[in-house]
Amino acid sequence: MDYIIITAGGKGLRMGSDIPKQFLPVSGIPVLMRTIKRFREYSKELQIILVLPKAQQDYWKQLCQKYNFQEEYLLADGGETRFHSVQNGLNLIPNSETGVVGVHDGVRPFPSIEVIKRCFETARTAKAVIPVTPVVETLRFVPENKNVLRSDYRLVQTPQCFDINLLKKANQQPYSEKFTDDASIVEAIGQQVTMVEGNRENIKITTPFDLTIATALVANQK
Ligand SMILES: Nc1ccn([C@@H]2O[C@H](COP(=O)(O)OP(=O)(O)OP(=O)(O)O)[C@@H](O)[C@H]2O)c(=O)n1
Ligand SMILES: C[C@](O)(CO)[C@H](O)COP(=O)(O)O
């Protein structure tokens, strides 16, 4: 069976809002509901695991009633860091399970269905897959104050998809601050990561500016 772990266990400090950013409405629908719906649209069989801080779970349930949101998923508790939140989600997947597990930021509501499919399907053989986009601006390396070749770099998105046993094994390592995504975790045990094309709309809602972009993207989809 395939799984998607949707991480929504963060504090949203950079958004600076009283309501955690995953619950903020974009054109009338909370960000996290948009994200979950997108994965259900991709597959009716996919097992969704939602990771939410314990302290936010009652609020989320109230929100689901208010919006009549009825998608099915398993719920895991948020952890100290994203790494620990993913670990809590992975613990809900039986050790005997085979297939692909994706990890996706709850605050990225616009991965295209094509990109989700590409990540899951490529992971069946490649075992570790990340969606990326080219850098469209000039890049500068600050420690040496010099220009670098932007074609050497890519921006990394989610869903990042893995062979289930591989990600479970990688997540048994001790936590390191260098783990900024799930690819960095599997790479640390020697696994090569395969890049596939992402989609530019797949933004991570991080600051109030991103909410403006998200609203425009929804308007553009209509
Ligand atoms: N302990 C944590 C930290 C982050 N995340 C999730 O990982 C994703 C990417 O993290 P980010 O955008 O940095 O979210 P926050 O940590 O909430 O934001 P900030 O760094 O501004 O506090 C988000 O969906 C966030 O909810 C998580 O599940 N558990
Ligand atoms: C996983 C991620 O979205 C890939 O771009 C990103 O690394 C999350 O980073 P953050 O530090 O949690 O914002």
Side-chain angles (χ1 to χ4, degrees):
M1 182 188 275
D2 289 349
Y3 292 80
I4 185 76
I5 296 174
I6 298 184
T7 60
K11 294 196 172 70
L13 297 178
R14 286 169 286 181
M15 182 59 77
S17 139
D18 288 343
I19 301 174
K21 60 182 179 179
Q22 53 269 30
F23 303 140
L24 292 173
V26 168
S27 297
I29 300 176
V31 170
L32 189 53
M33 290 182 189
R34 287 188 176 277
T35 307
I36 294 172
K37 273 168 180 268
R38 187 55 67 97
F39 280 90
R40 191 48 79 220
E41 208 183 312
Y42 158 66
S43 164
K44 298 247 177 306
E45 284 79 44
L46 187 68
Q47 179 66 259
I48 296 176
I49 299 177
L50 174 62
V51 188
L52 265 186
K54 234 180 166 36
Q56 292 174 8
Q57 291 178 7
D58 282 346
Y59 180 78
W60 168 248
K61 282 172 193 160
Q62 286 167 25
L63 215 55
C64 289
Q65 279 187 341
K66 180 174 166 192
Y67 285 85
N68 194 23
F69 184 76
Q70 294 183 340
E71 298 296 347
E72 290 201 2
Y73 53 82
L74 301 173
L75 192 59
D77 294 342
E80 183 66 25
T81 68
R82 189 178 181 282
F83 173 85
H84 298 100
S85 289
V86 172
Q87 209 165 47
N88 291 352
L90 277 174
N91 285 341
L92 296 188
I93 304 179
N95 286 333
S96 57
E97 193 62 273
T98 55
V100 171
V101 57
V103 183
H104 186 74
D105 296 327
V107 293
R108 285 188 191 267
F110 310 122
S112 70
I113 301 294
E114 293 74 26
V115 166
I116 298 174
K117 187 164 193 281
R118 190 176 298 140
C119 292
F120 271 89
E121 290 311 316
T122 311
R124 295 197 198 290
T125 47
K127 289 184 183 292
V129 175
I130 57 174
V132 299
T133 56
V135 177
V136 295
E137 297 178 55
T138 291
L139 278 182
R140 213 159 173 85
F141 184 59
V142 176
E144 292 175 19
N145 190 17
K146 69 164 197 190
N147 180 279
V148 288
L149 198 58
R150 68 179 170 195
S151 54
D152 278 347
Y153 295 86
R154 292 291 180 273
L155 298 176
V156 177
Q157 307 181 331
T158 65
Q160 301 190 353
C161 291
F162 307 91
D163 171 84
I164 290 176
N165 288 316
L166 171 70
L167 191 61
K168 272 182 172 270
K169 185 174 163 208
N171 266 266
Q172 282 163 11
Q173 294 171 88
Y175 170 70
S176 156
E177 280 186 358
K178 290 183 185 156
F179 296 156
T180 57
D181 67 352
D182 307 285
S184 54
I185 299 166
V186 299
E187 227 163 31
I189 60 162
Q191 173 67 43
Q192 199 180 11
V193 172
T194 298
M195 292 180 275
V196 297
E197 195 181 335
N199 63 297
R200 198 150 176 222
E201 303 80 12
N202 186 14
I203 57 168
K204 180 161 78 69
I205 297 181
T206 308
T207 65
F209 175 74
D210 301 320
L211 279 177
T212 309
I213 307 275
T215 305
L217 287 170
V218 171
N220 202 34
Q221 282 170 0
K222 284 176 185 160

